[in-house]
Amino acid sequence: MTGVYVIREDNHEILYFNKRVKEVAPNVREGMACHELWKGTCSNCPLLYIGDRKEAWTVNYDDPFGKVVEIAATRLLWEDTIPAFMIAVTPYAETVNFVYHKVLRGNLSTDCFDIIKADQKEIQDMSEYLTSLSDWFEGVAAYGYIYEEDVERYRKFVQAERIKEELKCGAKMLNCIYRRRAGYRFRWHTLEIVPEFDYTDDNQKVMIYVKDVHDIFQDGLAREETNIRNQEIINVLGEVNFGIYVVDLQSGGVNMVRTTEMIRQVMKADIFLWNHILDSEGINYIAPEDQKEFGNQYSLEAMRQAWQNGEKKRTLVCRAFLRGEWRYISVTAFFKDRKNRGGYAILAFQDVDERMKREMERTQNDRRMAAIIKSRYSIMNTVDLETGICERVYLREGNPGRRLEGDYDYHVRKALEEVVVDADQGKFKDMFFLENLRKNAETVEDFREDICRYQHRGTPVLWVEEHILYLRQGKKTVVNILGRDITTEKLAEEHVRRDSLEKTYIINSLSSMFFATYYIDLERETFRPVTQKTEVGNILGDERKYSQAIQVYARNFIHPDDREEYLRHISYPKLMDTLSRERPLIAFEYRMMPDQNNRRAWIRATIVLADTTEDGRPSRALYVAQDVTESKLREEQEQQALKEACRAANHANAAKSEFMSRMSHDIRTPMNAIIGMTAIAGRYLDDGERVADCLSKITVSSKHLLSLINEVLDMSKIESGKIDLTEEEINLSDLIGNLVTIIRPSMQEKQHNFNVRIANVEHEHVIGDLMRVQQVFMNVLGNAVKYTPSGGNIEMEINEKPANMHGYGCYEFIFRDNGIGMSREFQKKLFEPFSRAEDSRVSKIEGTGLGMTIARNIARRMNGDIMVESEVGRGTQFTVTLFFRLQDTAAPDTEMLMDLPVLEWTMMNRPAR
């Protein structure tokens, strides 16, 4: 019985209620609010959804009026004046036969839902799937509520797009039968999706019911034979069928269990004769090219004959007009017996359009793949992993299609020994040995491909590529090995690799020249770094406008004196005006800002044209920066060296001019003496004493003139590199004795004190150029005598030091005097040719200025040197270091040197003043 009550629209006060309402709610009274009476049921009240519409309805469960009730709300004017709603609550009679497991209200447009009824445990289990309607559908399957054989069918049914399409075509109810977990077993359930009364294409509201129909099916199957057919139909429902027909093969009668709306409109009934569908418009929904074959396979006579022949199943794939388009369908007839009352056929029509298109595409791909395999591979080997037998098929070479069979393991091991190069044998064994194939096959779940490349022995070079394909087929894995000759590819790869390596070397070599590289898009006027220093990148960033980038760079890194010229030289207008195919680069050198160590750096910036537009305008360029500090410093050094060389040349010219002036004066003096003495001697030929005196003076002047000429000649030889050293035996005692004998007259004349001290001499007999050694010593001692005032002291000290040359001795000869000394400035140019001190005390002393130059050059030719220490007014010390080849290792006879009259000699016999 229906309960009816009326409530005000504004405050929901009850204005009227009937007897059924009083029976259900004895405490009801007029004037009370309905939500005070029906506590806990307002969440599913139709007034929540009525909006501006005339009426609305909902379904409620576990309601005071019944297990399942329909609640309808209708808008009206109570007593023609009060806006109100009439609420009618009607129990569902079908709740007696069906147990509703779950009820949802959903919206396909927004993918949301409300739970009207559901098991609380299921709601807890499904807590993570409450976000949307599609998630709830998926969660039921994912959580294991659906029997595994029915999961795929269930998931296809609940696809939102499919449901929308079916409802859009006018379906009043969609249902799916499947088995659902109930405790520790599964029961048959139906899932029904029904559009709500206010369903629209834009607001797709639906009710979703889950019913337990297990007992109905079981009871019906036990009561009636017809339900046996239903059981067969249920079995057929394992596949998704849009049409199911049961055909009595004796009478030809058809029961339409499921069909399309188009067929139902044509047939106008659920039971009809099968021949009617073949003779009526129904056959027109089969594609014309398939109608004849459809009739041959599924006419009543054909199906009856098939049943009589014991066929169990017959299937045909054809095309039919379905959902507004021609689609591939599968028609399957299952032939059954009916306990001595003839047979019947269950015809199931399934939409297989997508599957057929996939299979057709797969077939086309298989054919294409077969053509590719034949074009790429020459041999295919199929290995039976259980027996070890291999079948070889030749795909292209020789006789295409020719097949050979043999023991796989034997041939593989033979190939390893005879064919494969040593370097590739390890990977060949791992890839191809039978035990390794079996081991790899155990891990394959679906498909696996291994590739092995190896080289054959001998010449010419031969490379082979083998593809090992593992394909799982049930419990067995099939192994196919496809081989091809890749010699040409390998040689090409090697050529490319060498080219790439060479290019890499070139790029790396060029990169080492440039510490920064930038890409310039002249059309977009952008400046982007390729490589750059970190401190520059921190300021410039990744990409900038070209003009802005060079301004920022110049301001932060370029020396102020070079900035303006840099910006002018590589400005954007300058690049556009200057760069061309005829002039592909611009370069500019500038100074960087000094670093924290005040180090100067020079950079060469070069912009190289990379590409041009069709009309020849520059479009892309590279900016590279190279550190040229070293070359710039070397250039500066060279320029400085040139300046110094120029100064030295000028100085040498001046010195030579001075030398010529001095030499002309020095030569003129002895020449004048010679000429004068000759004239006097000629005038007084009868005066023998005067002639002898003139001849004596002529001899002295001639010797002086000869010494001047010899020094010039020696210097000339030294400068031309033509001075030669002779080797002769030298006795150091004799050398010192001769030296004293030569220099004694000069020292006696100036009353010098001369001492010789031998500090350490182990080897007295040496080999060297005696004359040149005496020349060196005489130059040094001669200067000491010249520049030491009368009565001064001159010392000579001899030391032998360890030598780093085998068979040679190092000798150090030190000459000291307390003469006038030399300034530091003159010491720096003492050994330069034609050098004489600018000192009034020595201006009248004769000399060419070549003596010390000649002495040092001779010393250096003997692997030695001459060093000087001097102070003005305090004297001078010359240290002459010479290397002599040793004659023997005997100690020198120092006693002989001690007998020399100059040792500890103080010129006691000097003449009286």
Side-chain angles (χ1 to χ4, degrees), residues 275-286:
N275 284 339
H276 288 176
I277 196 169
L278 297 182
D279 297 338
S280 67
E281 295 181 2
I283 194 64
N284 293 333
Y285 292 101
I286 303 297

Side-chain angles (χ1 to χ4, degrees), residues 26-168:
N27 59 335
V28 64
R29 68 179 186 279
E30 294 182 1
M32 67 184 304
C34 68
H35 55 267
E36 296 177 357
L37 181 65
W38 314 114
K39 293 182 179 180
T41 60
C42 293
S43 60
N44 197 33
C45 179
L47 297 182
L48 299 175
Y49 313 102
I50 193 168
D52 296 331
R53 293 190 298 274
K54 180 70 175 176
E55 60 182 2
W57 59 270
T58 60
V59 176
N60 204 17
Y61 297 86
D62 297 325
D63 192 88
F65 286 88
K67 188 69 175 176
V68 181
V69 297
E70 180 181 87
I71 305 175
T74 304
R75 195 186 301 273
L76 54 79
L77 285 177
W78 182 253
E79 296 180 349
D80 296 330
T81 59
I82 303 174
F85 295 108
M86 183 178 69
I87 310 298
V89 185
T90 305
Y92 270 5
E94 63 178 350
T95 58
V96 177
N97 298 322
F98 296 103
V99 177
Y100 283 84
H101 175 75
K102 180 168 54 182
V103 178
L104 308 176
R105 175 184 288 108
N107 192 314
L108 300 177
S109 299
T110 61
D111 195 23
C112 62
F113 72 101
D114 295 322
I115 299 175
I116 307 301
K117 178 186 179 184
D119 180 77
Q120 289 300 318
K121 183 178 183 306
E122 179 177 343
I123 295 175
Q124 293 175 0
D125 293 342
M126 301 277 291
S127 60
E128 61 181 301
Y129 298 102
L130 298 178
T131 55
S132 66
L133 179 61
S134 57
D135 285 346
W136 175 275
F137 281 146
E138 175 58 28
V140 172
Y143 206 79
Y145 282 105
I146 310 298
Y147 187 61
E148 60 180 357
E149 293 182 2
D150 300 336
V151 168
E152 183 178 358
R153 183 173 68 257
Y154 169 84
R155 281 180 168 150
K156 288 183 179 179
F157 177 79
V158 298
Q159 288 179 356
E161 295 303 320
R162 192 200 68 81
I163 296 172
K164 293 176 183 179
E165 183 67 25
E166 293 285 346
L167 295 179
K168 187 176 182 179

Side-chain angles (χ1 to χ4, degrees), residues 107 135 180 334 419 553 848 855 895:
N107 192 314
D135 285 346
R180 193 181 192 283
F334 299 89
V419 177
Y553 178 77
T848 61
E895 295 295 332

Side-chain angles (χ1 to χ4, degrees), residues 137 202 302 308 422 460 489 543 631 789:
F137 281 146
D202 296 329
Q308 292 174 350
D422 294 343
E489 296 176 20
E543 184 172 296
S631 61

Side-chain angles (χ1 to χ4, degrees), residues 4-18 21-22 25 27-38 78 82 84-85 87:
V4 178
Y5 59 96
V6 179
I7 61 175
R8 292 175 63 97
E9 182 175 353
D10 53 359
N11 58 15
H12 292 191
E13 289 183 356
I14 297 176
L15 301 176
Y16 165 82
F17 54 87
N18 69 356
V21 174
K22 184 67 175 177
N27 59 335
V28 64
R29 68 179 186 279
E30 294 182 1
M32 67 184 304
C34 68
H35 55 267
E36 296 177 357
L37 181 65
W38 314 114
W78 182 253
I82 303 174
F85 295 108
I87 310 298

